[in-house]
Amino acid sequence: TQQDPENKCAMPPWIALRHIHNEYLPTLNDGELRVLLFIYMRTIAFGKEHELIPLKHFLEGVRTKKSRVLATVPVPKSKRQIQRILSDLLGKGLLTMVNSTKAGNRYAINLFLTGEKLAEIQQICDRENLHNKAKGKKADEVVNAVHPS
């Protein structure tokens, strides 16, 4: 199938991935990172700005037409967890829902956040972690591939 010229990602995939790594990684928990990378693999990795992604694809992955080969690995989370994570990513402004249909939602990763917006997102994450600690819940571990703890 031919790609829609209106759905072409202007940023090369390796630049986008570096941007996600450098700018977003410190603000994401494990689930958010997995969902964001799943969307990256469905969009930017294929030169697309956005893609229609049914919830079923997050849960089961995407197989080739003959169902033998896993083209995109599923996110190891429950349906409810994935819905919450998608909502959180949308709320943080890291993800955009271009439109919603019965078949699924069309998602795009927001690659053009300013440092100021990213700092605001980090503050939100920090407050959420403090709130969880105060309630006796285990705080989400911040994913840091550069300096693992």
Side-chain angles (χ1 to χ4, degrees):
T1 61
Q2 191 174 9
Q3 185 175 334
D4 176 5
E6 297 293 318
N7 185 16
K8 186 172 182 187
C9 184
M11 189 178 287
W14 60 91
I15 300 289
L17 188 57
R18 185 174 66 196
H19 180 77
I20 290 168
H21 179 271
N22 292 344
E23 301 295 329
Y24 295 173
L25 197 62
T27 70
L28 300 174
N29 64 40
D30 179 66
E32 291 169 334
L33 178 62
R34 288 174 183 268
V35 168
L36 195 66
L37 288 175
F38 184 91
I39 295 169
Y40 170 87
M41 291 305 299
R42 293 288 305 275
T43 57
I44 299 164
F46 287 98
K48 297 178 183 180
E49 191 172 276
H50 52 82
E51 176 74 0
L52 180 72
I53 308 174
L55 187 59
K56 179 180 178 178
H57 287 185
F58 288 101
L59 296 166
E60 299 174 10
V62 181
R63 297 188 178 274
T64 60
K65 289 184 181 183
K66 294 184 180 181
S67 294
R68 292 186 187 159
V69 179
L70 204 57
T72 307
V73 177
V75 178
K77 301 288 179 186
S78 70
K79 180 179 178 179
R80 176 179 256 167
Q81 288 171 319
I82 290 172
Q83 289 171 323
R84 190 196 81 242
I85 290 166
L86 287 166
S87 177
D88 291 348
L89 290 171
L90 287 164
K92 291 178 180 182
L94 298 174
L95 192 61
T96 301
M97 187 166 45
V98 179
N99 70 348
S100 181
T101 67
K102 287 183 180 180
N105 298 324
R106 186 169 293 278
Y107 295 104
I109 296 174
N110 185 353
L111 294 172
F112 306 103
L113 293 177
T114 64
E116 188 175 292
K117 180 66 177 172
L118 289 168
E120 180 183 322
I121 291 166
Q122 183 62 56
Q123 288 177 347
I124 291 168
C125 293
D126 291 345
R127 280 196 305 270
E128 287 174 359
N129 285 338
L130 287 173
H131 177 73
N132 287 340
K133 283 181 183 177
K135 291 179 91 175
K137 295 180 184 175
K138 183 179 178 188
D140 288 332
E141 188 173 308
V142 175
V143 177
N144 190 336
V146 179
H147 303 288
S149 46

Tab-separated table of all heavy atoms in Angstrom, residues 55-98:
chain	number	residue	atom	x	y	z
A	55	LEU	N	-7.126	-0.848	20.291
A	55	LEU	CA	-6.658	-1.276	21.610
A	55	LEU	C	-6.170	-2.724	21.563
A	55	LEU	O	-5.192	-3.084	22.221
A	55	LEU	CB	-7.790	-1.111	22.631
A	55	LEU	CG	-7.434	-1.351	24.086
A	55	LEU	CD1	-6.331	-0.412	24.551
A	55	LEU	CD2	-8.669	-1.182	24.958
A	56	LYS	N	-6.813	-3.543	20.743
A	56	LYS	CA	-6.434	-4.943	20.578
A	56	LYS	C	-4.967	-5.088	20.162
A	56	LYS	O	-4.281	-6.011	20.584
A	56	LYS	CB	-7.344	-5.589	19.527
A	56	LYS	CG	-7.057	-7.021	19.243
A	56	LYS	CD	-8.018	-7.556	18.186
A	56	LYS	CE	-7.697	-8.990	17.864
A	56	LYS	NZ	-8.628	-9.544	16.884
A	57	HIS	N	-4.463	-4.167	19.364
A	57	HIS	CA	-3.069	-4.237	18.924
A	57	HIS	C	-2.105	-4.027	20.079
A	57	HIS	O	-1.056	-4.664	20.142
A	57	HIS	CB	-2.796	-3.228	17.819
A	57	HIS	CG	-3.402	-3.609	16.513
A	57	HIS	ND1	-3.190	-2.887	15.370
A	57	HIS	CD2	-4.215	-4.631	16.155
A	57	HIS	CE1	-3.837	-3.443	14.367
A	57	HIS	NE2	-4.482	-4.503	14.834
A	58	PHE	N	-2.445	-3.114	21.007
A	58	PHE	CA	-1.605	-2.921	22.191
A	58	PHE	C	-1.558	-4.206	23.012
A	58	PHE	O	-0.528	-4.561	23.562
A	58	PHE	CB	-2.143	-1.789	23.075
A	58	PHE	CG	-1.963	-0.409	22.513
A	58	PHE	CD1	-3.017	0.242	21.896
A	58	PHE	CD2	-0.744	0.243	22.607
A	58	PHE	CE1	-2.861	1.513	21.394
A	58	PHE	CE2	-0.573	1.526	22.107
A	58	PHE	CZ	-1.637	2.165	21.496
A	59	LEU	N	-2.697	-4.892	23.103
A	59	LEU	CA	-2.826	-6.078	23.938
A	59	LEU	C	-2.242	-7.339	23.318
A	59	LEU	O	-1.657	-8.164	24.014
A	59	LEU	CB	-4.306	-6.328	24.255
A	59	LEU	CG	-4.987	-5.255	25.086
A	59	LEU	CD1	-6.493	-5.434	25.050
A	59	LEU	CD2	-4.469	-5.254	26.503
A	60	GLU	N	-2.404	-7.495	21.993
A	60	GLU	CA	-2.012	-8.739	21.329
A	60	GLU	C	-0.850	-8.588	20.365
A	60	GLU	O	-0.346	-9.581	19.845
A	60	GLU	CB	-3.213	-9.307	20.561
A	60	GLU	CG	-4.383	-9.629	21.464
A	60	GLU	CD	-5.623	-10.046	20.696
A	60	GLU	OE1	-5.532	-10.280	19.474
A	60	GLU	OE2	-6.687	-10.134	21.331
A	61	GLY	N	-0.432	-7.350	20.108
A	61	GLY	CA	0.591	-7.121	19.104
A	61	GLY	C	-0.029	-7.120	17.723
A	61	GLY	O	-1.246	-7.231	17.577
A	62	VAL	N	0.804	-6.997	16.724
A	62	VAL	CA	0.338	-6.973	15.342
A	62	VAL	C	1.054	-8.082	14.607
A	62	VAL	O	2.281	-8.168	14.629
A	62	VAL	CB	0.634	-5.606	14.678
A	62	VAL	CG1	0.123	-5.588	13.246
A	62	VAL	CG2	0.017	-4.479	15.483
A	63	ARG	N	0.281	-8.922	13.972
A	63	ARG	CA	0.841	-10.044	13.224
A	63	ARG	C	0.714	-9.794	11.723
A	63	ARG	O	-0.132	-9.036	11.289
A	63	ARG	CB	0.145	-11.345	13.598
A	63	ARG	CG	0.349	-11.695	15.055
A	63	ARG	CD	-0.167	-13.084	15.375
A	63	ARG	NE	0.077	-13.405	16.765
A	63	ARG	CZ	1.205	-13.931	17.221
A	63	ARG	NH1	2.180	-14.200	16.410
A	63	ARG	NH2	1.353	-14.195	18.498
A	64	THR	N	1.564	-10.482	10.980
A	64	THR	CA	1.455	-10.420	9.528
A	64	THR	C	0.141	-11.084	9.121
A	64	THR	O	-0.526	-11.714	9.940
A	64	THR	CB	2.637	-11.141	8.857
A	64	THR	OG1	2.619	-12.503	9.269
A	64	THR	CG2	3.951	-10.486	9.210
A	65	LYS	N	-0.222	-10.962	7.862
A	65	LYS	CA	-1.497	-11.509	7.391
A	65	LYS	C	-1.639	-12.989	7.659
A	65	LYS	O	-2.722	-13.479	7.901
A	65	LYS	CB	-1.681	-11.204	5.907
A	65	LYS	CG	-1.941	-9.750	5.654
A	65	LYS	CD	-2.222	-9.475	4.201
A	65	LYS	CE	-2.460	-7.984	4.023
A	65	LYS	NZ	-2.811	-7.660	2.661
A	66	LYS	N	-0.545	-13.723	7.641
A	66	LYS	CA	-0.605	-15.165	7.895
A	66	LYS	C	-0.531	-15.490	9.387
A	66	LYS	O	-0.501	-16.645	9.773
A	66	LYS	CB	0.508	-15.876	7.132
A	66	LYS	CG	0.317	-15.793	5.632
A	66	LYS	CD	1.364	-16.586	4.910
A	66	LYS	CE	1.119	-16.474	3.415
A	66	LYS	NZ	2.092	-17.259	2.663
A	67	SER	N	-0.485	-14.469	10.248
A	67	SER	CA	-0.471	-14.610	11.712
A	67	SER	C	0.693	-15.421	12.260
A	67	SER	O	0.631	-15.952	13.356
A	67	SER	CB	-1.790	-15.213	12.210
A	67	SER	OG	-2.832	-14.327	11.979
A	68	ARG	N	1.754	-15.540	11.506
A	68	ARG	CA	2.897	-16.314	11.983
A	68	ARG	C	3.937	-15.449	12.682
A	68	ARG	O	4.499	-15.847	13.674
A	68	ARG	CB	3.558	-17.040	10.818
A	68	ARG	CG	2.699	-18.114	10.251
A	68	ARG	CD	3.435	-18.882	9.210
A	68	ARG	NE	2.512	-19.816	8.570
A	68	ARG	CZ	2.711	-20.344	7.403
A	68	ARG	NH1	3.796	-20.069	6.723
A	68	ARG	NH2	1.835	-21.166	6.896
A	69	VAL	N	4.188	-14.301	12.134
A	69	VAL	CA	5.271	-13.468	12.636
A	69	VAL	C	4.693	-12.244	13.338
A	69	VAL	O	3.807	-11.578	12.824
A	69	VAL	CB	6.185	-13.008	11.471
A	69	VAL	CG1	7.305	-12.132	11.975
A	69	VAL	CG2	6.729	-14.199	10.715
A	70	LEU	N	5.209	-11.988	14.524
A	70	LEU	CA	4.805	-10.813	15.269
A	70	LEU	C	5.524	-9.604	14.689
A	70	LEU	O	6.747	-9.507	14.765
A	70	LEU	CB	5.170	-11.014	16.737
A	70	LEU	CG	4.403	-10.236	17.768
A	70	LEU	CD1	2.908	-10.494	17.661
A	70	LEU	CD2	4.872	-10.601	19.149
A	71	ALA	N	4.773	-8.696	14.079
A	71	ALA	CA	5.357	-7.509	13.472
A	71	ALA	C	5.613	-6.430	14.522
A	71	ALA	O	6.574	-5.687	14.436
A	71	ALA	CB	4.444	-6.977	12.370
A	72	THR	N	4.728	-6.335	15.509
A	72	THR	CA	4.897	-5.401	16.613
A	72	THR	C	4.561	-6.148	17.903
A	72	THR	O	3.490	-6.722	18.028
A	72	THR	CB	3.967	-4.176	16.454
A	72	THR	OG1	4.158	-3.603	15.167
A	72	THR	CG2	4.273	-3.125	17.494
A	73	VAL	N	5.481	-6.139	18.834
A	73	VAL	CA	5.334	-6.861	20.104
A	73	VAL	C	4.261	-6.179	20.955
A	73	VAL	O	4.222	-4.954	21.046
A	73	VAL	CB	6.687	-6.881	20.856
A	73	VAL	CG1	6.559	-7.552	22.200
A	73	VAL	CG2	7.738	-7.564	20.005
A	74	PRO	N	3.376	-6.962	21.606
A	74	PRO	CA	2.347	-6.351	22.454
A	74	PRO	C	2.938	-5.705	23.705
A	74	PRO	O	4.054	-6.012	24.107
A	74	PRO	CB	1.451	-7.527	22.833
A	74	PRO	CG	2.290	-8.732	22.653
A	74	PRO	CD	3.296	-8.413	21.585
A	75	VAL	N	2.168	-4.812	24.287
A	75	VAL	CA	2.549	-4.172	25.547
A	75	VAL	C	2.088	-5.100	26.671
A	75	VAL	O	0.917	-5.433	26.738
A	75	VAL	CB	1.875	-2.786	25.672
A	75	VAL	CG1	2.214	-2.141	26.997
A	75	VAL	CG2	2.278	-1.883	24.512
A	76	PRO	N	2.998	-5.543	27.554
A	76	PRO	CA	2.619	-6.496	28.597
A	76	PRO	C	1.859	-5.840	29.749
A	76	PRO	O	2.322	-5.804	30.884
A	76	PRO	CB	3.958	-7.076	29.045
A	76	PRO	CG	4.926	-5.972	28.808
A	76	PRO	CD	4.421	-5.238	27.592
A	77	LYS	N	0.697	-5.324	29.445
A	77	LYS	CA	-0.163	-4.676	30.442
A	77	LYS	C	-1.605	-5.098	30.176
A	77	LYS	O	-1.942	-5.541	29.091
A	77	LYS	CB	-0.058	-3.140	30.343
A	77	LYS	CG	1.325	-2.561	30.534
A	77	LYS	CD	1.768	-2.649	31.970
A	77	LYS	CE	3.172	-2.071	32.144
A	77	LYS	NZ	3.676	-2.271	33.476
A	78	SER	N	-2.469	-4.902	31.160
A	78	SER	CA	-3.884	-5.229	30.998
A	78	SER	C	-4.583	-4.135	30.182
A	78	SER	O	-4.039	-3.035	30.002
A	78	SER	CB	-4.560	-5.348	32.361
A	78	SER	OG	-4.666	-4.069	32.967
A	79	LYS	N	-5.782	-4.431	29.729
A	79	LYS	CA	-6.565	-3.464	28.963
A	79	LYS	C	-6.768	-2.182	29.765
A	79	LYS	O	-6.553	-1.082	29.257
A	79	LYS	CB	-7.915	-4.085	28.597
A	79	LYS	CG	-8.822	-3.180	27.804
A	79	LYS	CD	-10.126	-3.893	27.474
A	79	LYS	CE	-11.058	-2.992	26.717
A	79	LYS	NZ	-12.321	-3.684	26.368
A	80	ARG	N	-7.141	-2.336	31.015
A	80	ARG	CA	-7.382	-1.170	31.884
A	80	ARG	C	-6.086	-0.350	32.071
A	80	ARG	O	-6.111	0.876	32.041
A	80	ARG	CB	-7.919	-1.634	33.227
A	80	ARG	CG	-8.109	-0.495	34.204
A	80	ARG	CD	-8.672	-0.994	35.495
A	80	ARG	NE	-10.069	-0.618	35.479
A	80	ARG	CZ	-10.972	-1.080	36.314
A	80	ARG	NH1	-10.641	-1.939	37.225
A	80	ARG	NH2	-12.207	-0.667	36.247
A	81	GLN	N	-4.960	-1.032	32.258
A	81	GLN	CA	-3.687	-0.329	32.432
A	81	GLN	C	-3.316	0.442	31.167
A	81	GLN	O	-2.870	1.591	31.249
A	81	GLN	CB	-2.573	-1.318	32.778
A	81	GLN	CG	-2.653	-1.883	34.171
A	81	GLN	CD	-1.660	-3.010	34.391
A	81	GLN	OE1	-1.457	-3.866	33.525
A	81	GLN	NE2	-1.041	-3.015	35.568
A	82	ILE	N	-3.494	-0.178	30.012
A	82	ILE	CA	-3.157	0.499	28.753
A	82	ILE	C	-4.052	1.716	28.545
A	82	ILE	O	-3.569	2.785	28.165
A	82	ILE	CB	-3.232	-0.470	27.557
A	82	ILE	CG1	-2.077	-1.481	27.660
A	82	ILE	CG2	-3.175	0.284	26.222
A	82	ILE	CD1	-2.128	-2.607	26.664
A	83	GLN	N	-5.331	1.584	28.837
A	83	GLN	CA	-6.239	2.729	28.709
A	83	GLN	C	-5.814	3.867	29.630
A	83	GLN	O	-5.824	5.033	29.241
A	83	GLN	CB	-7.682	2.294	29.007
A	83	GLN	CG	-8.265	1.425	27.927
A	83	GLN	CD	-9.603	0.813	28.314
A	83	GLN	OE1	-9.832	0.432	29.469
A	83	GLN	NE2	-10.490	0.703	27.332
A	84	ARG	N	-5.410	3.526	30.870
A	84	ARG	CA	-4.961	4.554	31.814
A	84	ARG	C	-3.672	5.213	31.329
A	84	ARG	O	-3.503	6.429	31.386
A	84	ARG	CB	-4.754	3.955	33.204
A	84	ARG	CG	-4.520	5.045	34.269
A	84	ARG	CD	-3.938	4.517	35.568
A	84	ARG	NE	-2.498	4.358	35.379
A	84	ARG	CZ	-1.839	3.194	35.459
A	84	ARG	NH1	-2.447	2.096	35.744
A	84	ARG	NH2	-0.548	3.142	35.269
A	85	ILE	N	-2.747	4.391	30.832
A	85	ILE	CA	-1.465	4.913	30.341
A	85	ILE	C	-1.689	5.839	29.155
A	85	ILE	O	-1.099	6.927	29.086
A	85	ILE	CB	-0.510	3.754	29.971
A	85	ILE	CG1	-0.053	3.026	31.238
A	85	ILE	CG2	0.689	4.264	29.183
A	85	ILE	CD1	0.618	1.682	30.981
A	86	LEU	N	-2.539	5.439	28.217
A	86	LEU	CA	-2.843	6.297	27.065
A	86	LEU	C	-3.429	7.623	27.528
A	86	LEU	O	-3.042	8.695	27.048
A	86	LEU	CB	-3.799	5.588	26.101
A	86	LEU	CG	-3.193	4.460	25.279
A	86	LEU	CD1	-4.280	3.625	24.629
A	86	LEU	CD2	-2.218	5.004	24.232
A	87	SER	N	-4.338	7.553	28.494
A	87	SER	CA	-4.939	8.764	29.047
A	87	SER	C	-3.879	9.653	29.704
A	87	SER	O	-3.883	10.878	29.529
A	87	SER	CB	-6.018	8.380	30.061
A	87	SER	OG	-6.559	9.511	30.663
A	88	ASP	N	-2.963	9.027	30.448
A	88	ASP	CA	-1.890	9.785	31.104
A	88	ASP	C	-0.973	10.459	30.078
A	88	ASP	O	-0.601	11.622	30.230
A	88	ASP	CB	-1.051	8.880	32.012
A	88	ASP	CG	-1.806	8.408	33.251
A	88	ASP	OD1	-2.895	8.961	33.539
A	88	ASP	OD2	-1.319	7.482	33.915
A	89	LEU	N	-0.589	9.725	29.030
A	89	LEU	CA	0.284	10.293	27.990
A	89	LEU	C	-0.408	11.433	27.264
A	89	LEU	O	0.226	12.447	26.938
A	89	LEU	CB	0.726	9.206	26.998
A	89	LEU	CG	1.708	8.170	27.537
A	89	LEU	CD1	1.886	7.030	26.539
A	89	LEU	CD2	3.057	8.809	27.861
A	90	LEU	N	-1.708	11.285	27.018
A	90	LEU	CA	-2.475	12.364	26.382
A	90	LEU	C	-2.524	13.572	27.315
A	90	LEU	O	-2.317	14.703	26.884
A	90	LEU	CB	-3.889	11.893	26.048
A	90	LEU	CG	-4.005	10.918	24.884
A	90	LEU	CD1	-5.366	10.215	24.894
A	90	LEU	CD2	-3.775	11.627	23.555
A	91	GLY	N	-2.767	13.318	28.603
A	91	GLY	CA	-2.844	14.396	29.587
A	91	GLY	C	-1.537	15.142	29.762
A	91	GLY	O	-1.527	16.343	30.022
A	92	LYS	N	-0.428	14.429	29.623
A	92	LYS	CA	0.890	15.050	29.746
A	92	LYS	C	1.298	15.782	28.476
A	92	LYS	O	2.312	16.481	28.469
A	92	LYS	CB	1.942	13.988	30.075
A	92	LYS	CG	1.803	13.408	31.463
A	92	LYS	CD	2.841	12.328	31.702
A	92	LYS	CE	2.708	11.737	33.088
A	92	LYS	NZ	3.727	10.715	33.355
A	93	GLY	N	0.557	15.587	27.402
A	93	GLY	CA	0.883	16.261	26.148
A	93	GLY	C	1.952	15.556	25.334
A	93	GLY	O	2.428	16.094	24.341
A	94	LEU	N	2.347	14.356	25.739
A	94	LEU	CA	3.368	13.617	24.991
A	94	LEU	C	2.777	12.906	23.783
A	94	LEU	O	3.484	12.530	22.860
A	94	LEU	CB	4.049	12.586	25.893
A	94	LEU	CG	4.801	13.160	27.082
A	94	LEU	CD1	5.300	12.043	27.972
A	94	LEU	CD2	5.940	14.017	26.620
A	95	LEU	N	1.468	12.735	23.804
A	95	LEU	CA	0.760	11.994	22.778
A	95	LEU	C	-0.437	12.819	22.345
A	95	LEU	O	-1.032	13.524	23.162
A	95	LEU	CB	0.300	10.668	23.394
A	95	LEU	CG	-0.232	9.563	22.529
A	95	LEU	CD1	0.837	9.109	21.534
A	95	LEU	CD2	-0.645	8.390	23.393
A	96	THR	N	-0.781	12.728	21.082
A	96	THR	CA	-1.960	13.400	20.549
A	96	THR	C	-2.874	12.350	19.954
A	96	THR	O	-2.407	11.448	19.262
A	96	THR	CB	-1.555	14.408	19.450
A	96	THR	OG1	-0.659	15.357	20.013
A	96	THR	CG2	-2.759	15.130	18.885
A	97	MET	N	-4.180	12.462	20.231
A	97	MET	CA	-5.141	11.594	19.580
A	97	MET	C	-5.725	12.411	18.429
A	97	MET	O	-6.446	13.378	18.645
A	97	MET	CB	-6.234	11.129	20.536
A	97	MET	CG	-7.130	10.095	19.912
A	97	MET	SD	-8.204	9.192	21.064
A	97	MET	CE	-8.861	10.473	22.093
A	98	VAL	N	-5.363	12.015	17.204
A	98	VAL	CA	-5.776	12.767	16.021
A	98	VAL	C	-7.278	12.619	15.810
A	98	VAL	O	-7.962	13.589	15.519
A	98	VAL	CB	-4.973	12.311	14.776
A	98	VAL	CG1	-5.406	13.059	13.549
A	98	VAL	CG2	-3.477	12.491	15.025
